[in-house]
Amino acid sequence: MLKIKYINHILEELDVIKDMLGRNVFAVDTSRSPYALLKPVSITSVKITEGFWKMRIDAVFQNTLMSIYRKLEETDRINRFRWAARGLPIQSDKTVFPFDDTDVYKWIEACAYKLAQAPDENLEKLISQIISEIGSAQEPDGYLFTELHGKHDLRWKNLAFNHEMYTAGHLIQAAIAWYRATGDSSLLNISTKFADLITETFKPDGLRGACGHPNIEMALVELYRETGKRDYLDCAIYLVEERGRSLIRSDGERGFITVYNIFGGAEYLVDHQPFKELKEIAGHAVRALYLNCGVTDIYAEIGDKELLLTLHRLWEDMTQYKMYITGGVGSRYITESFGEPYELPNMRAYSETCAAIANFMWNWRMLGVTCDAKFTDIMERTIYNGILSGISLNGTRFFYMNPLASRGQYTRQEWFLCACCPPNIARLLTSLPGYIYSVSNEGIWMHFYTSNTSSIKFNNIDVKITVKTDFPWNEKAEILVDPSQEEKFTVFLYIPSWCDNPVVRVNKERVKATPKTYLPINRVWRSNTLIEVAFPMKVKFNIANPLLEENFGKVALSRGPLIYCFEEVDNPKVNLWNILITDEKDVKLSYLNDLSSIVGLQVNGIELIEGLRDYLYLPINELKVRSKKIKLKAIPYFAWANRGMGSMRVWIPSTKRFTILESRLRSKKEARMKVRKTKR
Amino acid sequence: MLKIKYINHILEELDVIKDMLGRNVFAVDTSRSPYALLKPVSITSVKITEGFWKMRIDAVFQNTLMSIYRKLEETDRINRFRWAARGLPIQSDKTVFPFDDTDVYKWIEACAYKLAQAPDENLEKLISQIISEIGSAQEPDGYLFTELHGKHDLRWKNLAFNHEMYTAGHLIQAAIAWYRATGDSSLLNISTKFADLITETFKPDGLRGACGHPNIEMALVELYRETGKRDYLDCAIYLVEERGRSLIRSDGERGFITVYNIFGGAEYLVDHQPFKELKEIAGHAVRALYLNCGVTDIYAEIGDKELLLTLHRLWEDMTQYKMYITGGVGSRYITESFGEPYELPNMRAYSETCAAIANFMWNWRMLGVTCDAKFTDIMERTIYNGILSGISLNGTRFFYMNPLASRGQYTRQEWFLCACCPPNIARLLTSLPGYIYSVSNEGIWMHFYTSNTSSIKFNNIDVKITVKTDFPWNEKAEILVDPSQEEKFTVFLYIPSWCDNPVVRVNKERVKATPKTYLPINRVWRSNTLIEVAFPMKVKFNIANPLLEENFGKVALSRGPLIYCFEEVDNPKVNLWNILITDEKDVKLSYLNDLSSIVGLQVNGIELIEGLRDYLYLPINELKVRSKKIKLKAIPYFAWANRGMGSMRVWIPSTKRFTILESRLRSKKEARMKVRKTKR
């Protein structure tokens, strides 16, 4: 039961929220989308008050955003606009990719979400200045792409790799966020000018083709939502329909075909089949998933069932065959692509941070048009594991690849030559309050458990919701629902898939709950109704499908939504590549001194003592093997690589997986022999 | 003991050999190389009479060579020369790579080796005609590279990717083989003209740099050996010294840096460090290994110890960390490159046929300058497994990649857009008789066991050697040594590494033999001295180093030099991805009706019955598992994919690997408890 003092504190917090701009800031605004069953709750209505996500978001607010800004300056990414404005060429070896403008745009978007929650005059001024510099780089007809500034002849010529519309998409997204957060329309005006040029250029009686890297599709739908201008939606639809028709090429660039083929040809660009004919998720992971985001957005507006069917098909393929247990996707290293089914190597996992983010973004949209908790399940898996591993605990270092095993070769970096991931994770984490709740005709949906105080409008009443929890470390959460007037509606609670025995009580009365569904609590809500949930976090030993050959005989530990890994720093005297877990029952929680407020695990295992460096292949009879019992310590995967370099593994061989089978065979045999004996 | 009738038959065979051209045909002629301890035996002196290799080489003679010729015509590769001769551009989508001339050259080389063993007037005429067409495409100054025919400005500009000198290397190799086999110097004259242009161009006071794809180095050394012209050797040395100095670039080609970086930059081209500073084998596998061949050839001529030290270092790195159990190398798929240590995926193995061939070629050279049996071991492993898998039993279909696991997606093809492998395997197999023996100051070396009748010159006497064996199916071989006069010398017999208890008898007298060495039999050899060898072929269950994570808990079967695999066609009702081997003792040889003269294996195992398609990840306690005992049939890896498409696996989980460990732990515990009880 919440203490009165705590409630008073929360009420004060709510007042702060009320005093804020009062603007609705959505990352995805489906408020008026006819086929969106869920409507968003503004980032400004939800205040994460403490605990797990508060720490993560604070790190972004306090460290990440300005750290990225410094890098944007240092690596000449803002200079690109300044140079373009003055007609100067780009002459910097720190910015070499045509899409480098987008790092600036994504950072502005992240800052906009921050400003919506925590006003910061200096930051706002800084960005206003940069927006004006961006504007100066815009060509008279609206074209804004510093890579080809002033080079009219080269526009739209290399649709495959130039990323012009991908860049426009990020400009539009930043502009909308900026406008929603601050009310300043300057960037929005710049972006609509560019969007208008695109919609006038790419249309049935205009240019054919689409952008090699999707993103513009979801940006145009969002711009339609913001401005009401139907052309933007139509253009997004057109660009989806133009895929899979071999129009995404490069005109006359020498060596293009070689590069194109190395990358994987049309499939890499998701241009190998028309969208509605796609059977399997394939190609560059971020491309494929951003495209799916755009198509889901289109579906939310026009309700084309064939689009939704295709999206379901692709989702099934991805989640059944091509996703890491962390929610990471795009396993294929060199081309950042989806692989074949079960092609999910641990150490050579690519699993780009941006791909995990795109996975989250797509599942959010799918949830919105279906209300199916299976999408929330993937969002939870992704945000707690494959996304969060992309940023260090202090928010200043990033993983581009998120491998599931390391022999010490991987470490987070402050920046990358291709720097898409840092500002992308920043914009996701700063907008996270917007992903906690939704509203539907029936009531209020709660997707994530995190301490927050929120004020959600439903049927013209204000419903104050206060959550207090130490999730994901602790299984319990207290949810206080406090409508401004008594009202009958439903509160839909997400019941996590990993919880076998969820316990939900409303005003102390038990309500039956089923994992991986939304529990609908339909009642007349009176002031200060208390929902108590407990999702027992039994440590699970997860196996992979046998067809995922590399993980055969191995287990990955999880507790709650968190996947665990074994890091060298916690197991300093152990060769992590020569261990087995021997016991799947005796698991202890283990609190780590050097990683504050993180719950570790300890399991029993054995270490094999073999001449590790002595052979590559060896007849088994020549193996001199000894083994010793050890205790193995695991930490949540997202938190690895925060204490120096070293080995790490998620999947660990387990003797159980083998001995259980043998003992069953043995006991069958014994049973048969018993039967025979009895017969005699 | 050999029957008299058989011996007479052999003597007739030897007469045939004597009647042949009498020319020495060597693939690598180290006869006069000061630092080569082993001297080659001409292909014309060795006649493989029956058995395993006879069947394989006959398939190449009868099917492969003309099948490749038809493809060379169909895919316009010979037309490239015809077009160049007439000043026409290359206009064909069947030949797109700058190095496509080399497929013609390698085919000519293969045919030359065939003609040295089996005269064929029609084939000789056909090639003479093609040689004249090649000659017509040569530019007045000697340049011969159809891709840039007549484009003087583009010559030597894109050293990284244009393959000009790589192509010249294959021209030279073909020309030397053709000259040695037929005495016709027409192609040799063409190639020396081009070689002269290269040596005049690339020299200390000339052009800097080397070819992105090595090959020219070993070709120039061989041309020096053939012609005695020192410039060729000097140029080879120069080209090796120019590597690792960032000179292998592309001048001003747009997009070059992107392509270069995707491929892996300087490392891909083995241009990241000067040769003598290389610590690890890295980069594109065929590039790296052809370079090592060239450097070993240089060492054989100049004896630079630092070169040999580096070669040893690279060899250790390769064989300890970066080689498949099949001898295949270059595991990284998209860039055909060596990976990190233990980066050896089974299903995404690249393991190009050409890389395995290059591995064989390099080990042959290392053997020649060291006499160390460890190199023969790798040659044996490679030729019986990773190379031979590259060609179908009938010789008409080829693997480019040689994966160690397949879910049915891999099948041999008649040809490839990049068609390097088919003519490469053809030239190796047609020259195989030249790899059976060597000669040193001390005597005669025997590297491979295959039925043959040979006449080897040693100290001006002729030593007739007759081998009768059903190796590798049967462990025994009879070797009849018959010198033209009594003479004291040593016969060095290779004792395979996989044989624990080799038995060697000379005239019935037992001689002690040690695996992975050359057994020196020093004696006065009299006529018809019989050596009998038996290399017991116990089936081995091989494990991989635990750091090779994907194979942890798995075994690969081998018998003699052959690695085995499990193919769907032999295990039709079994899901190969859900099996375990349970017994490592009860192995039966199994003869297969549909694969004549191939010895299969049968082992005991269990199949797990699980809902295979139902989950990607699952808590182990939710797994409903049943298992049933099965018999599993294996065939030699090289013979897979000859009976339609289907699944295949080399590495199979083994319960023993896990239960042994547990039972040891248990028995230790029991032992401790016993001790305690005794104390009481």
Side-chain angles (χ1 to χ4, degrees):
Chain A
M1 188 72 179
L2 291 173
K3 300 280 188 310
I4 294 299
K5 194 179 160 193
Y6 180 72
I7 293 173
N8 285 337
H9 170 72
I10 288 162
L11 292 176
E12 284 167 31
E13 293 269 4
L14 284 177
D15 288 335
V16 172
I17 292 176
K18 276 191 197 154
D19 288 344
M20 286 177 65
L21 287 165
R23 304 188 64 86
N24 279 329
V25 182
F26 308 121
V28 187
D29 182 5
T30 51
S31 313
R32 289 173 302 277
S33 305
Y35 296 89
L37 306 174
L38 298 184
K39 310 299 177 188
V41 168
S42 172
I43 292 168
T44 56
S45 304
V46 179
K47 187 167 174 64
I48 296 178
T49 48
E50 60 179 357
F52 187 89
W53 286 111
K54 179 75 161 64
M55 285 176 70
R56 300 276 66 78
I57 294 170
D58 278 355
V60 176
F61 283 4
Q62 287 158 23
N63 303 330
T64 313
L65 293 176
M66 287 314 285
S67 155
I68 291 177
Y69 169 68
R70 282 189 295 273
K71 287 291 175 186
L72 291 173
E73 286 287 8
E74 273 172 30
T75 63
D76 295 319
R77 277 162 169 76
I78 304 178
N79 279 334
R80 292 172 69 107
F81 296 99
R82 296 170 185 144
W83 291 331
R86 281 181 267 150
L88 300 172
I90 299 160
Q91 286 195 325
S92 165
D93 57 5
K94 294 171 201 150
T95 170
V96 300
F97 293 104
F99 49 80
D100 278 354
D101 297 352
T102 62
D103 299 329
V104 181
Y105 299 146
K106 275 187 279 190
W107 171 74
I108 292 176
E109 188 180 344
C111 292
Y113 299 136
K114 188 217 167 179
L115 293 175
Q117 299 164 66
D120 178 335
E121 212 173 306
N122 288 335
L123 182 62
E124 199 167 338
K125 264 189 201 159
L126 173 67
I127 293 178
S128 294
Q129 171 58 31
I130 293 169
I131 288 174
S132 109
E133 292 176 317
I134 291 169
S136 306
Q138 188 164 39
E139 301 189 44
D141 63 355
Y143 190 82
L144 177 45
F145 182 61
T146 61
E147 184 71 14
L148 298 183
H149 187 85
K151 298 175 182 166
H152 284 241
D153 294 350
L154 295 178
R155 281 185 190 180
W156 322 121
K157 288 286 191 297
N158 184 348
L159 290 172
F161 293 119
N162 262 355
H163 295 74
E164 284 156 291
M165 284 188 264
Y166 166 81
T167 303
H170 277 299
L171 168 63
I172 292 166
Q173 289 169 329
I176 293 170
W178 187 252
Y179 174 69
R180 287 175 182 169
T182 67
D184 169 18
S185 61
S186 56
L187 194 60
L188 192 62
N189 294 337
I190 293 168
S191 78
T192 51
K193 250 180 106 175
F194 195 8
D196 290 341
L197 178 68
I198 290 169
T199 54
E200 284 155 22
T201 305
F202 287 86
K203 56 185 178 182
D205 54 348
L207 259 189
R208 302 294 307 267
C211 186
H213 198 315
N215 185 39
I216 185 73
E217 300 80 2
M218 63 177 142
L220 284 174
V221 176
E222 202 64 27
L223 192 58
Y224 157 72
R225 288 166 179 163
E226 189 57 45
T227 64
K229 189 170 166 184
R230 172 83 199 189
D231 291 354
Y232 300 139
L233 176 60
D234 290 340
C235 185
I237 296 168
Y238 176 77
L239 292 172
V240 170
E241 285 177 350
E242 287 290 276
R243 290 195 106 76
R245 307 185 193 283
S246 298
L247 300 166
I248 305 178
R249 312 285 294 182
S250 171
D251 292 358
E253 189 173 343
R254 184 174 147 74
F256 168 76
I257 284 297
T258 311
V259 179
Y260 179 80
N261 282 329
I262 293 162
F263 274 122
E267 188 175 283
Y268 174 82
L269 306 169
V270 202
D271 188 35
H272 54 305
Q273 279 176 319
F275 188 82
K276 289 177 178 176
E277 293 171 26
L278 290 173
K279 298 279 178 296
E280 293 171 7
I281 198 142
H284 183 264
V286 180
R287 281 174 169 81
L289 295 175
Y290 277 9
L291 179 63
N292 291 354
C293 287
V295 172
T296 317
D297 281 340
I298 290 170
Y299 172 79
E301 301 306 324
I302 65 171
D304 180 340
K305 284 272 182 279
E306 266 191 87
L307 292 178
L308 189 62
L309 269 176
T310 307
L311 291 164
H312 275 296
R313 205 158 57 220
L314 298 177
W315 189 90
E316 288 295 331
D317 186 55
M318 178 183 75
T319 54
Q320 278 285 323
Y321 307 121
K322 298 170 183 172
M323 189 180 72
Y324 285 99
I325 195 165
T326 57
V329 288
S331 62
R332 202 170 271 180
Y333 202 96
I334 294 175
T335 55
E336 310 183 325
S337 294
F338 285 102
E340 293 178 42
Y342 306 107
E343 185 186 328
L344 296 161
N346 291 324
M347 195 170 304
R348 283 282 283 182
Y350 200 74
S351 190
E352 186 187 338
T353 303
C354 283
I357 292 170
N359 195 10
F360 181 94
M361 289 165 63
W362 179 34
N363 277 280
W364 173 250
R365 285 161 170 81
M366 290 298 284
L367 172 65
V369 297
T370 64
C371 295
D372 192 332
K374 72 181 182 182
F375 300 110
T376 321
D377 180 42
I378 301 297
M379 288 171 66
E380 187 189 61
R381 185 183 289 276
T382 308
I383 191 87
Y384 276 106
N385 302 289
I387 292 174
L388 205 53
S389 61
I391 186 167
S392 65
L393 293 175
N394 68 2
T396 60
R397 294 173 68 85
F398 307 91
F399 270 133
Y400 195 112
M401 290 89 83
N402 293 275
L404 274 75
S406 168
R407 279 205 296 275
Q409 72 270 51
Y410 293 106
T411 182
R412 288 196 191 78
Q413 294 173 46
E414 284 190 359
W415 198 246
F416 308 94
L417 192 61
C418 174
C420 48
C421 299
N424 211 5
I425 198 164
R427 71 173 179 150
L428 179 68
L429 292 182
T430 52
S431 61
L432 208 64
Y435 293 98
I436 314 284
Y437 298 99
S438 298
V439 172
S440 72
N441 291 338
E442 295 77 25
I444 297 170
W445 297 65
M446 192 167 155
H447 312 300
F448 287 101
Y449 296 91
T450 186
S451 290
N452 70 85
T453 62
S454 303
S455 175
I456 299 171
K457 279 204 174 8
F458 174 75
N459 278 1
N460 294 322
I461 62 163
D462 274 323
V463 182
K464 287 173 195 161
I465 298 185
T466 307
V467 180
K468 191 154 168 61
T469 180
D470 200 19
F471 197 89
W473 307 123
N474 187 293
E475 65 193 47
K476 291 185 180 172
E478 293 179 331
I479 304 156
L480 197 69
V481 181
D482 188 19
S484 55
Q485 61 186 70
E486 280 189 15
E487 175 91 7
K488 190 174 188 196
F489 62 91
T490 307
V491 169
F492 296 85
L493 289 187
Y494 173 66
I495 310 298
S497 64
W498 42 263
C499 178
D500 302 325
N501 303 299
V503 177
V504 179
R505 287 194 173 81
V506 183
N507 282 344
K508 300 291 178 192
E509 196 176 314
R510 178 82 182 259
V511 183
K512 193 174 178 300
T514 311
K516 210 173 172 176
T517 63
Y518 279 89
L519 170 68
I521 308 175
N522 182 253
R523 59 183 287 144
V524 177
W525 294 89
R526 302 203 168 79
S527 70
N528 289 330
T529 306
L530 181 67
I531 309 174
E532 291 162 292
V533 303
F535 301 132
M537 293 178 170
K538 205 182 141 193
V539 176
K540 301 253 169 140
F541 291 74
N542 303 282
I543 59 167
N545 189 299
L547 290 166
L548 206 174
E549 208 197 334
E550 184 170 342
N551 292 342
F552 192 89
K554 294 176 186 162
V555 294
L557 274 61
S558 63
R559 181 177 178 266
L562 296 171
I563 303 297
Y564 277 70
C565 69
F566 294 83
E567 211 181 3
E568 188 177 336
V569 62
D570 300 311
N571 303 280
K573 288 173 188 166
V574 175
N575 181 323
L576 284 182
W577 265 266
N578 223 7
I579 55 171
L580 295 106
I581 292 174
T582 48
D583 192 332
E584 283 154 11
K585 276 166 196 155
D586 186 18
V587 186
K588 290 190 178 67
L589 300 194
S590 138
Y591 295 86
L592 304 160
N593 290 330
D594 49 351
L595 280 180
S596 61
S597 67
I598 277 180
V599 176
L601 301 176
Q602 185 182 288
V603 291
N604 296 324
I606 52 174
E607 183 180 11
L608 313 189
I609 319 288
E610 304 180 345
L612 262 192
R613 288 258 141 194
D614 295 335
Y615 65 93
L616 182 53
Y617 306 109
L618 191 75
I620 197 165
N621 53 309
E622 294 176 28
L623 182 70
K624 311 267 177 294
V625 65
R626 290 181 302 120
S627 55
K628 66 171 180 189
K629 290 189 178 186
I630 48 169
K631 302 283 181 195
L632 290 164
K633 280 187 184 171
I635 61 159
Y637 172 73
F638 78 82
W640 87 281
N642 275 289
R643 295 165 294 168
M645 291 173 86
S647 289
M648 180 278 292
R649 282 181 95 182
V650 171
W651 290 95
I652 308 285
S654 158
T655 56
K656 281 288 168 277
R657 189 81 175 104
F658 292 82
T659 49
I660 285 172
L661 295 163
E662 275 239 312
S663 63
R664 283 189 194 190
L665 278 181
R666 269 201 303 275
S667 59
K668 260 196 218 170
K669 198 176 162 184
E670 282 157 17
R672 272 202 305 277
M673 283 169 69
K674 254 187 198 169
V675 169
R676 273 182 219 152
K677 274 181 190 169
T678 320
K679 279 182 181 169
R680 280 174 205 164
Chain B
M1 184 74 180
L2 291 173
K3 300 282 189 309
I4 294 299
K5 196 181 157 192
Y6 181 72
I7 293 173
N8 284 339
H9 169 72
I10 288 162
L11 292 175
E12 283 166 31
E13 294 268 5
L14 284 177
D15 289 335
V16 174
I17 293 176
K18 276 189 195 157
D19 289 344
M20 285 177 66
L21 287 164
R23 305 187 64 84
N24 279 328
V25 182
F26 308 121
V28 187
D29 182 4
T30 52
S31 314
R32 289 171 304 275
S33 304
Y35 297 89
L37 307 174
L38 297 185
K39 309 300 175 186
V41 168
S42 171
I43 291 168
T44 56
S45 304
V46 179
K47 187 166 175 64
I48 295 178
T49 48
E50 60 179 357
F52 187 89
W53 286 112
K54 179 73 161 63
M55 284 176 71
R56 300 276 67 76
I57 294 171
D58 278 355
V60 176
F61 282 4
Q62 288 158 21
N63 303 330
T64 313
L65 293 176
M66 287 314 286
S67 153
I68 291 177
Y69 169 67
R70 282 188 295 273
K71 286 292 176 187
L72 292 173
E73 287 287 9
E74 274 172 29
T75 63
D76 295 319
R77 278 162 168 76
I78 303 178
N79 280 334
R80 291 173 71 108
F81 296 100
R82 296 171 185 142
W83 291 331
R86 281 181 268 151
L88 300 172
I90 298 161
Q91 286 194 326
S92 165
D93 57 4
K94 294 171 200 151
T95 170
V96 300
F97 293 103
F99 49 80
D100 279 353
D101 298 352
T102 62
D103 300 328
V104 181
Y105 299 146
K106 275 187 280 189
W107 172 74
I108 292 175
E109 189 182 344
C111 291
Y113 299 136
K114 189 219 168 178
L115 292 175
Q117 299 165 66
D120 178 336
E121 213 173 306
N122 289 334
L123 182 62
E124 199 167 339
K125 264 188 201 160
L126 172 66
I127 294 178
S128 295
Q129 172 57 32
I130 292 169
I131 289 175
S132 111
E133 292 177 319
I134 291 169
S136 306
Q138 187 163 39
E139 302 190 43
D141 63 354
Y143 191 83
L144 176 45
F145 182 61
T146 61
E147 184 73 13
L148 298 183
H149 187 85
K151 297 175 183 166
H152 284 241
D153 294 352
L154 296 178
R155 281 186 191 179
W156 322 120
K157 287 288 190 294
N158 184 348
L159 290 172
F161 294 119
N162 262 355
H163 296 73
E164 284 156 289
M165 283 188 265
Y166 166 81
T167 303
H170 277 299
L171 168 63
I172 293 166
Q173 289 169 329
I176 294 171
W178 186 252
Y179 174 68
R180 287 175 181 168
T182 67
D184 170 17
S185 61
S186 56
L187 193 60
L188 192 63
N189 294 336
I190 293 168
S191 78
T192 51
K193 251 181 104 174
F194 195 9
D196 290 342
L197 177 69
I198 290 170
T199 55
E200 285 154 21
T201 305
F202 287 86
K203 56 185 178 182
D205 54 348
L207 260 189
R208 302 293 308 266
C211 186
H213 198 315
N215 185 39
I216 184 73
E217 300 80 1
M218 62 176 142
L220 284 173
V221 176
E222 202 65 27
L223 192 59
Y224 157 70
R225 289 167 178 162
E226 189 58 43
T227 63
K229 189 170 167 184
R230 173 82 200 189
D231 290 356
Y232 299 140
L233 176 60
D234 290 340
C235 184
I237 296 167
Y238 175 77
L239 291 172
V240 170
E241 284 176 350
E242 287 290 277
R243 291 196 103 78
R245 305 181 194 288
S246 299
L247 300 165
I248 305 178
R249 310 287 293 182
S250 171
D251 291 359
E253 190 174 345
R254 182 173 148 74
F256 168 77
I257 284 296
T258 311
V259 179
Y260 180 80
N261 283 330
I262 292 162
F263 274 122
E267 189 176 282
Y268 173 82
L269 306 169
V270 201
D271 188 36
H272 54 303
Q273 278 177 317
F275 188 83
K276 289 176 178 175
E277 293 172 24
L278 291 172
K279 298 278 179 294
E280 291 171 9
I281 200 143
H284 182 264
V286 180
R287 281 173 168 81
L289 294 175
Y290 276 10
L291 179 63
N292 291 355
C293 286
V295 173
T296 317
D297 281 339
I298 290 170
Y299 171 78
E301 302 304 325
I302 65 170
D304 180 341
K305 284 272 182 279
E306 267 191 87
L307 291 179
L308 189 62
L309 271 175
T310 307
L311 291 164
H312 275 296
R313 204 159 59 222
L314 298 177
W315 189 90
E316 288 296 330
D317 186 55
M318 178 183 74
T319 54
Q320 278 285 322
Y321 307 120
K322 298 170 184 172
M323 189 180 72
Y324 285 99
I325 196 166
T326 57
V329 288
S331 62
R332 202 169 270 180
Y333 202 95
I334 293 174
T335 57
E336 311 183 324
S337 295
F338 284 102
E340 294 179 41
Y342 307 105
E343 185 186 329
L344 295 161
N346 290 325
M347 197 171 303
R348 283 282 283 183
Y350 200 75
S351 190
E352 186 188 337
T353 302
C354 282
I357 292 170
N359 195 10
F360 181 94
M361 289 166 64
W362 179 36
N363 277 281
W364 173 249
R365 286 161 169 80
M366 290 298 283
L367 173 64
V369 297
T370 64
C371 296
D372 193 330
K374 72 181 183 183
F375 301 109
T376 321
D377 180 41
I378 301 297
M379 288 171 66
E380 187 189 61
R381 185 183 289 275
T382 309
I383 190 88
Y384 277 105
N385 302 289
I387 292 174
L388 205 53
S389 61
I391 186 167
S392 65
L393 293 176
N394 68 3
T396 60
R397 293 172 71 83
F398 307 92
F399 270 132
Y400 194 112
M401 290 90 82
N402 293 274
L404 274 74
S406 168
R407 279 206 296 275
Q409 73 270 53
Y410 293 107
T411 182
R412 288 198 191 78
Q413 294 173 44
E414 284 190 0
W415 197 246
F416 307 95
L417 192 61
C418 173
C420 49
C421 299
N424 212 5
I425 198 165
R427 71 174 180 151
L428 180 67
L429 292 182
T430 52
S431 62
L432 208 64
Y435 294 98
I436 313 285
Y437 298 100
S438 297
V439 172
S440 73
N441 291 337
E442 295 77 24
I444 297 170
W445 297 65
M446 193 167 155
H447 312 300
F448 287 101
Y449 297 90
T450 186
S451 290
N452 69 87
T453 63
S454 303
S455 175
I456 299 170
K457 278 203 175 8
F458 175 75
N459 277 2
N460 295 319
I461 61 163
D462 274 324
V463 182
K464 289 172 194 162
I465 297 184
T466 308
V467 180
K468 192 154 169 58
T469 180
D470 199 22
F471 197 89
W473 306 124
N474 185 293
E475 66 193 47
K476 291 186 182 172
E478 293 180 331
I479 303 156
L480 198 68
V481 180
D482 188 19
S484 54
Q485 60 187 71
E486 282 189 16
E487 176 93 6
K488 192 175 185 191
F489 63 91
T490 306
V491 169
F492 296 85
L493 290 187
Y494 173 66
I495 311 297
S497 64
W498 43 261
C499 177
D500 301 325
N501 302 300
V503 177
V504 179
R505 286 193 173 85
V506 183
N507 282 344
K508 300 293 177 189
E509 198 175 313
R510 180 82 182 258
V511 184
K512 194 176 179 298
T514 311
K516 209 172 173 177
T517 64
Y518 279 89
L519 169 67
I521 308 175
N522 182 253
R523 58 183 286 142
V524 177
W525 294 88
R526 301 199 170 82
S527 68
N528 290 330
T529 306
L530 180 68
I531 309 174
E532 291 161 292
V533 302
F535 301 131
M537 292 178 170
K538 206 183 140 192
V539 175
K540 302 251 168 138
F541 290 75
N542 303 282
I543 58 167
N545 190 299
L547 290 166
L548 206 173
E549 208 195 335
E550 183 169 341
N551 292 342
F552 192 88
K554 294 178 187 163
V555 293
L557 273 61
S558 64
R559 180 176 179 268
L562 297 171
I563 303 298
Y564 277 71
C565 69
F566 295 82
E567 210 180 2
E568 188 177 338
V569 62
D570 299 311
N571 302 280
K573 288 174 188 165
V574 175
N575 182 322
L576 284 182
W577 265 265
N578 223 8
I579 55 171
L580 295 107
I581 292 174
T582 48
D583 191 332
E584 283 154 12
K585 276 165 197 156
D586 187 17
V587 186
K588 289 190 179 67
L589 302 194
S590 136
Y591 295 85
L592 304 159
N593 291 330
D594 49 350
L595 280 180
S596 60
S597 66
I598 278 180
V599 177
L601 301 175
Q602 185 182 290
V603 291
N604 296 323
I606 52 174
E607 183 180 10
L608 312 188
I609 319 287
E610 303 181 346
L612 264 192
R613 289 258 142 194
D614 294 336
Y615 64 93
L616 181 53
Y617 307 109
L618 190 75
I620 197 165
N621 54 307
E622 293 177 28
L623 181 69
K624 310 267 178 291
V625 66
R626 290 181 302 121
S627 55
K628 65 171 178 188
K629 290 190 179 185
I630 48 168
K631 301 284 178 193
L632 290 165
K633 280 187 186 172
I635 61 159
Y637 172 73
F638 78 82
W640 87 280
N642 275 288
R643 294 165 294 168
M645 290 172 86
S647 290
M648 182 278 293
R649 282 180 95 183
V650 170
W651 290 95
I652 306 285
S654 158
T655 56
K656 280 288 168 278
R657 191 80 177 103
F658 292 82
T659 49
I660 285 172
L661 296 162
E662 276 239 311
S663 63
R664 282 188 194 191
L665 280 180
R666 269 201 304 274
S667 58
K668 260 195 219 169
K669 201 175 160 186
E670 282 157 18
R672 273 200 308 275
M673 285 170 68
K674 254 187 198 170
V675 170
R676 273 182 219 151
K677 276 183 191 171
T678 318
K679 278 180 183 169
R680 280 174 206 164

